[in-house]
Amino acid sequence: MSHNKSLRVATAAVALALAGTTGFAMAAQVPAGVKLAAKQELIRNTGSEPESLDPVLAESVPANTITMDLFEGLTATDSFGKVMPGVAESWKQTSPTTWVFKLRKNAKWSDGSTVTASDFVYGWQRFVEPKTASPYASTYGIFILNGKEITEGKKPASSLGVKAVDKYTLEVQTPYPVPFMPSLVANTQLAPLPKATIDKFGKDWTKPGKMVSNGAFALKDWQVNSKVVVEKNAQYWDVKNVQLGKITYLPIEDHNADVKLYESGENDWVLELPSGTYDKYKAQYPKEIRNAPFLGLRYYSLNNKDPLLKDVRVRKALSMVIDRDILAKKVTADGQAPAYSAIVAGTAGADVTSYDWAKWPMAKRVEEAKKLLAEAGVKPGSKLKFAYNTSDYHKKMAIFAASEWKSKLGLNTELESLEFKVLLKKRHDADYQIARNGWVADYNDATTFLALVQCDNDQNDNKNCNAKAEALIKQGSDSTDQAKRKQLFTQAVKMIMDDYPMIPLLQYTAPRLVKSYVGGYGKNPMDRYRGKDLYIIQH
Amino acid sequence: MWSYTFRRVLATIPTLLAVITVCYLLLHLTPGGPFDGERKVSAAVLANLQAKYHLDLPLWQQYLYYIKSLLQGDLGASFRYADWSVNDLVGKALPVSAAIGGGAIVISLFIGVALGIVAALRQNSIIDYLVMLLGNIGGAFPSFVLGPVLVMVFAIGLEWLPAGGWDDFSLRYMVLPIALLVFINISTIGRVMRGSMIEVLSSNFIRTARAKGLPMRTIVLRHALKPALMPVVSVIGPLAISSITAAVVTETVFGLPGLGKLIVNGAANRDYTLVLGLVVLVTVITVVLNLLVDLAYALLDPKIRY
């Protein structure tokens, strides 16, 4: 089956699923004619040491990459980012705020016991329980009835809106309609958990020899800062379609060291190329370079409470003069696309908006921006302060932005390079004027990006608030009509972006090297690749 | 000597306490906390996290809590690596660093001393210049340049050795990192040894030995080596400490799971307990190595008595 065909099948699956009917099992597909290698072993760099292999404590991308292979939720996403059945073989939205998931009877834990609905109830309650202190508890927990109150300690975990109707039926209540529920439950924070194992071993339950998991792979070895090794889980319900026998995850942080290991044959998967090397490696390894946009936005936060930036004309002028095309093609030069909205291409639940001036010639944009600054009383020579976290990549972008503001508007920018944690603190506390920022979607729905610009949202570093847009978002959230919800969200985003709360710059891509013999690598908007969907081609 | 050793060990207790206190305060004064992330956790979740790690207590209570668990040999739970205790993490990283750093320091001592002696005996000859040039290359090129060069030549070019990684003390994975550290260390040891040996060789007792007609080999090995080693011993302590505990670049270039990487990541993640645990460890290693250096003086110079 070609990639295109598998994409069509996957799309059909998700269409069926989202329509509230049943999904169907869809395994890793090896195209006809492809000969598999005898040795099905993959080595991939995840970029850093996982902070935990407990799915509810896993926060970073590296940790989630591994827990996605060890655990499987009600659904899963394939290499194209499509929602596929996981432990649940079908699901249905029975009322605006109720979802019913039918679990497959052959889903097993790695110790051979059956995965039941009560394993999900236990896992989800543990996830939102304040004592567990999961960093994601409030991010995903708010979509389950009483989840918010439980994380705040106002209600007991037992009041969570999830119920085992019988051994293989799980009913989920939400506080308001959550149309993206099938995509949300693919996250392994919402996977089932083995209560007996956790009770027996406590914190040590995630160690090799002790962990019991229900994913396509089981934990074999974990050497801190060296490697995590998993092997095919013989008990997995779809094991016949799992090709890889073993995956080794490396925690290499240094991009150059990552490439060196790749070139010497000790790594099949470079997570991220060193800054400024994309063109070089693209020419050197044309068959191995992989690059696709995913749901992530690079942007600059503008402190809307700052004395200078509280004037929307100033914020607009700063945004207008940054030439995203040059930034994408010449400065970052790694295939990223210009962005003019808080929503990036490929996001479900809202359309990407843009600005009229995005199509204007730069001279006209500069002229308009100068006029706006003059109206706001900002004179050439005024000072801006820009904070970014120490990194060649961010520095390069910051210098470009500063030069745009200097050459086009005559504004002087003081660049402040900060350690990452210091920048995060300053950003969250609004102790900055302009700051580098970025966001990668947690699930494929517009709400994950709306959080960046919504009033009083924890993720809103700009501290902007548009009450009218907020009302539209509320209206959209309460709506059961998907088309209306999308239209309201799009309208709200447009309204917010016209306030210029931030400067959207680029949509993330994932430029990396993956050996040409690694099959099953698709264009995934979530940049998530499960070992189940990958295979090694004969080479 | 035993009472001297005992006194020195006792003296480490106030040193350790002072180091821990200063480090503790500095860590808590640094902006940004362990739970500041790209995704800001809600106030409720932050409160839950802080309660889990006792960060909701007043600072002095947290400090006493830490000291109490330290006295029980418990370095605490890591803030970042939730599945591991600091004892686990340090216990896994220390043997790696000790093997790489310790191995490198022993090899560099032998090679550095030998090169220093050769250069001193053939002072201002072509051999002297070559030896010193070799030593200076190690000193002049930073490890983040030399390391990748070694990888390019021996791992990617010749394919003799792995480009990095770690496999249970397999020698193949240790050769390049040790070679890099040796290259850097021998420049210091070689130069110090050369200078010291030249000085010793021009002293009166060596002239006497020569006058008695002793062969040069006997003069160097039996009479000149011991006194000439004194300055080398002085530099070996700091070199060993940095090779074992601060080989951050080497660990990064070769992807080694050692202490240096833990320290850097611990500080970047504001993993208070991990950083403090490593500070305790580095302090103890420093005290022990300095003590060994002082005791080595007594072995080399009979005039020194403790």
Side-chain angles (χ1 to χ4, degrees):
Chain A
M1 187 186 280
S2 72
H3 273 169
N4 281 341
K5 194 168 175 192
S6 91
L7 178 62
R8 282 201 300 276
V9 174
T11 312
V14 85
L16 280 171
L18 288 177
T21 57
T22 56
F24 55 87
M26 177 77 193
Q29 296 295 325
V30 181
V34 167
K35 278 193 179 170
L36 292 179
K39 198 176 162 192
Q40 288 292 319
E41 292 183 8
L42 173 74
I43 305 173
R44 63 185 287 190
N45 181 26
T46 57
S48 72
E49 176 65 16
E51 64 279 5
S52 175
L53 292 184
D54 184 332
V56 305
L57 298 179
E59 186 186 8
S60 66
V61 172
N64 278 292
T65 301
I66 304 172
T67 55
M68 261 193 318
D69 284 339
L70 291 171
F71 293 88
E72 185 174 75
L74 292 164
T75 62
T77 45
D78 71 0
S79 282
F80 294 89
K82 302 301 175 194
V83 178
M84 311 299 288
V87 174
E89 55 186 3
S90 68
W91 50 87
K92 199 168 187 170
Q93 192 172 9
T94 55
S95 83
T97 56
T98 309
W99 286 83
V100 174
F101 291 86
K102 287 280 177 195
L103 274 52
R104 61 184 77 249
K105 294 190 172 70
N106 59 342
K108 295 265 169 50
W109 290 101
S110 52
D111 64 359
S113 56
T114 308
V115 179
T116 64
S118 48
D119 294 331
F120 281 93
V121 175
Y122 167 72
W124 290 24
Q125 288 179 351
R126 182 172 175 269
F127 171 50
V128 291
E129 165 65 46
K131 275 188 196 148
T132 309
S134 165
Y136 263 100
S138 55
T139 313
Y140 298 155
I142 53 166
F143 298 118
I144 320 293
L145 187 68
N146 293 332
K148 188 171 183 288
E149 292 78 5
I150 297 166
T151 55
E152 288 169 356
K154 292 174 188 162
K155 282 188 178 174
S158 56
S159 66
L160 189 70
V162 57
K163 192 170 82 182
V165 177
D166 59 43
K167 206 173 169 188
Y168 300 109
T169 310
L170 189 76
E171 187 186 275
V172 182
Q173 302 282 341
T174 60
Y176 40 81
V178 180
F180 52 91
M181 184 55 83
S183 160
L184 184 74
V185 295
N187 288 296
T188 44
Q189 280 79 8
L190 294 167
L193 290 179
K195 185 173 186 304
T197 308
I198 296 174
D199 287 346
K200 187 176 172 190
F201 296 113
K203 195 179 84 162
D204 283 333
W205 81 275
T206 55
K207 306 287 164 58
K210 293 175 180 154
M211 179 186 273
V212 168
S213 64
N214 76 319
F217 296 86
L219 184 63
K220 179 74 181 162
D221 190 15
W222 182 4
Q223 293 181 30
V224 177
N225 274 329
S226 178
K227 63 185 168 189
V228 175
V229 181
V230 300
E231 284 181 351
K232 192 192 281 193
N233 176 7
Q235 300 290 340
Y236 181 58
W237 64 271
D238 197 21
V239 68
K240 65 179 191 301
N241 284 310
V242 178
Q243 308 300 341
L244 293 179
K246 180 178 163 187
I247 309 173
T248 303
Y249 310 90
L250 303 175
I252 308 296
E253 290 169 10
D254 184 74
H255 301 330
N256 288 302
D258 192 6
V259 175
K260 295 278 175 295
L261 283 172
Y262 181 87
E263 291 185 312
S264 67
E266 287 150 83
N267 176 18
D268 301 318
W269 187 301
V270 170
L271 183 74
E272 198 177 331
L273 292 172
S275 171
T277 61
Y278 176 67
D279 283 341
K280 173 188 155 192
Y281 289 119
K282 194 178 170 188
Q284 197 174 344
Y285 303 108
K287 286 183 183 163
E288 298 171 38
I289 201 98
R290 321 261 179 144
N291 197 10
F294 64 94
L295 301 184
L297 175 71
R298 287 187 195 279
Y299 68 101
Y300 287 161
S301 267
L302 300 172
N303 184 352
N304 286 225
K305 306 274 186 226
D306 178 81
L308 182 74
L309 298 182
K310 69 183 175 197
D311 190 322
V312 64
R313 292 168 296 190
V314 182
R315 300 198 298 269
K316 184 176 177 181
L318 292 179
S319 187
M320 284 178 91
V321 297
I322 294 183
D323 193 326
R324 273 77 159 179
D325 292 320
I326 294 180
L327 185 65
K329 286 185 189 135
K330 305 285 181 197
V331 182
T332 54
D334 53 6
Q336 295 184 70
Y340 297 93
S341 171
I343 306 278
V344 298
T347 311
D351 288 327
V352 180
T353 61
S354 186
Y355 293 118
D356 294 341
W357 51 256
K359 288 181 187 143
W360 294 0
M362 185 48 81
K364 190 177 169 191
R365 277 156 68 170
V366 173
E367 194 187 328
E368 174 70 14
K370 278 182 173 168
K371 209 165 81 187
L372 287 167
L373 283 187
E375 281 169 17
V378 179
K379 295 190 173 68
S382 297
K383 271 192 176 172
L384 299 170
K385 203 167 175 186
F386 181 98
Y388 67 99
N389 53 307
T390 313
S391 131
D392 283 349
Y393 202 96
H394 302 323
K395 187 177 178 183
K396 208 159 59 172
M397 285 180 68
I399 290 172
F400 175 72
S403 77
E404 293 282 81
W405 294 328
K406 174 73 184 170
S407 62
K408 292 170 179 168
L409 303 174
L411 302 175
N412 297 318
T413 308
E414 182 192 333
L415 295 178
E416 193 182 13
S417 173
L418 301 169
E419 197 213 8
F420 193 36
K421 288 270 183 187
V422 180
L423 176 75
L424 289 171
K425 173 88 177 140
K426 279 180 173 271
R427 246 170 30 194
H428 294 330
D429 293 348
D431 178 20
Y432 72 94
Q433 192 177 41
I434 307 172
R436 182 207 75 82
N437 218 328
W439 188 253
V440 174
D442 287 319
Y443 49 90
N444 191 357
D445 185 73
T447 47
T448 188
F449 286 109
L450 280 173
L452 306 178
V453 286
Q454 272 190 270
C455 303
D456 299 323
N457 193 295
D458 285 328
Q459 311 308 338
N460 184 343
D461 292 333
N462 324 302
K463 310 298 170 195
N464 63 291
C465 181
N466 184 319
K468 279 185 187 168
E470 207 66 23
L472 290 179
I473 293 170
K474 172 85 176 61
Q475 216 181 319
S477 295
D478 290 338
S479 171
T480 49
D481 179 345
Q482 292 312 300
K484 193 177 171 204
R485 180 180 185 266
K486 188 173 184 177
Q487 182 239 322
L488 287 166
F489 278 179
T490 308
Q491 204 183 332
V493 174
K494 173 81 181 140
M495 206 179 259
I496 294 172
M497 292 314 287
D498 282 345
D499 287 343
Y500 294 86
M502 49 124 110
I503 304 179
L505 294 167
L506 300 168
Q507 175 168 6
Y508 275 100
T509 49
R512 62 172 62 112
L513 287 167
V514 178
K515 296 283 186 192
S516 52
Y517 53 72
V518 176
Y521 188 100
K523 290 191 173 178
N524 187 335
M526 298 293 287
D527 194 36
R528 294 178 183 177
Y529 297 94
R530 293 204 303 165
K532 182 187 174 180
D533 299 316
L534 303 168
Y535 48 88
I536 306 295
I537 302 163
Q538 199 175 53
H539 55 280
Chain B
M1 194 168 85
W2 287 113
S3 81
Y4 171 79
T5 309
F6 183 68
R7 283 201 310 276
R8 282 285 295 269
V9 171
L10 267 189
T12 56
I13 294 169
T15 311
L16 257 179
L17 210 58
V19 169
I20 291 170
T21 311
V22 170
C23 186
Y24 196 88
L25 289 173
L26 284 177
L27 275 171
H28 284 268
L29 285 173
T30 315
F35 310 119
D36 279 317
E38 193 84 69
R39 173 176 296 93
K40 189 183 177 188
V41 291
S42 69
V45 171
L46 183 64
N48 296 338
L49 282 162
Q50 289 185 325
K52 188 175 173 180
Y53 292 98
H54 309 290
L55 288 176
D56 53 341
L57 300 173
L59 198 59
W60 66 271
Q61 274 187 27
Q62 290 179 45
Y63 177 75
L64 289 182
Y65 191 89
Y66 182 75
I67 297 291
K68 193 181 151 200
S69 62
L70 192 63
L71 287 174
Q72 292 163 345
D74 180 6
L75 296 170
S78 164
F79 283 42
R80 173 69 182 170
Y81 305 111
D83 301 5
W84 304 96
S85 68
V86 175
N87 290 40
D88 288 335
L89 294 170
V90 170
K92 284 171 189 295
L94 180 61
V96 176
S97 289
I100 299 289
I105 210 74
V106 170
I107 297 171
S108 359
L109 187 62
F110 279 101
I111 299 179
V113 165
L115 289 180
I117 294 172
V118 171
L121 291 177
R122 300 276 183 272
Q123 200 188 342
N124 297 329
S125 72
I126 189 81
I127 294 174
D128 182 17
Y129 294 143
L130 277 178
V131 167
M132 283 303 102
L133 180 71
L134 184 74
N136 284 332
I137 289 173
F141 283 92
S143 45
F144 60 81
V145 173
L146 270 181
V149 169
L150 289 177
V151 171
M152 286 301 288
V153 175
F154 295 101
I156 297 173
L158 299 169
E159 295 183 14
W160 287 353
L161 293 161
W166 184 254
D167 187 24
D168 256 348
F169 298 92
S170 153
L171 203 58
R172 291 183 69 236
Y173 289 85
M174 292 165 67
V175 173
L176 286 183
I178 288 181
L180 174 61
L181 285 174
V182 166
F183 215 58
I184 291 163
N185 288 340
I186 56 169
S187 68
T188 310
I189 297 173
R191 266 182 287 127
V192 171
M193 186 65 201
R194 175 183 177 271
S196 162
M197 186 56 99
I198 287 170
E199 198 182 324
V200 171
L201 287 177
S202 61
S203 58
N204 289 338
F205 75 97
I206 297 295
R207 201 173 302 129
T208 310
R210 277 186 175 168
K212 279 163 68 181
L214 285 177
M216 201 55 193
R217 183 189 160 93
T218 313
I219 292 173
V220 170
L221 293 181
R222 195 171 298 166
H223 300 287
L225 187 60
K226 265 192 171 185
L229 273 176
M230 290 290 279
V232 175
V233 168
S234 302
V235 297
I236 207 87
L239 275 184
I241 294 164
S242 66
S243 296
I244 294 170
T245 65
V248 182
V249 176
T250 313
E251 288 177 17
T252 305
V253 169
F254 296 104
L256 300 173
L259 291 171
K261 203 168 169 179
L262 271 190
I263 294 177
V264 171
N265 286 349
N269 291 325
R270 304 288 187 272
D271 196 337
Y272 299 151
T273 41
L274 179 57
V275 173
L276 282 169
L278 291 165
V279 163
V280 169
L281 180 77
V282 172
T283 312
V284 169
I285 291 176
T286 307
V287 166
V288 169
L289 286 176
N290 281 339
L291 177 64
L292 289 178
V293 165
D294 287 348
L295 295 179
Y297 285 145
L299 291 176
L300 292 174
D301 187 349
K303 283 185 286 183
I304 295 174
R305 288 278 177 272
Y306 293 116

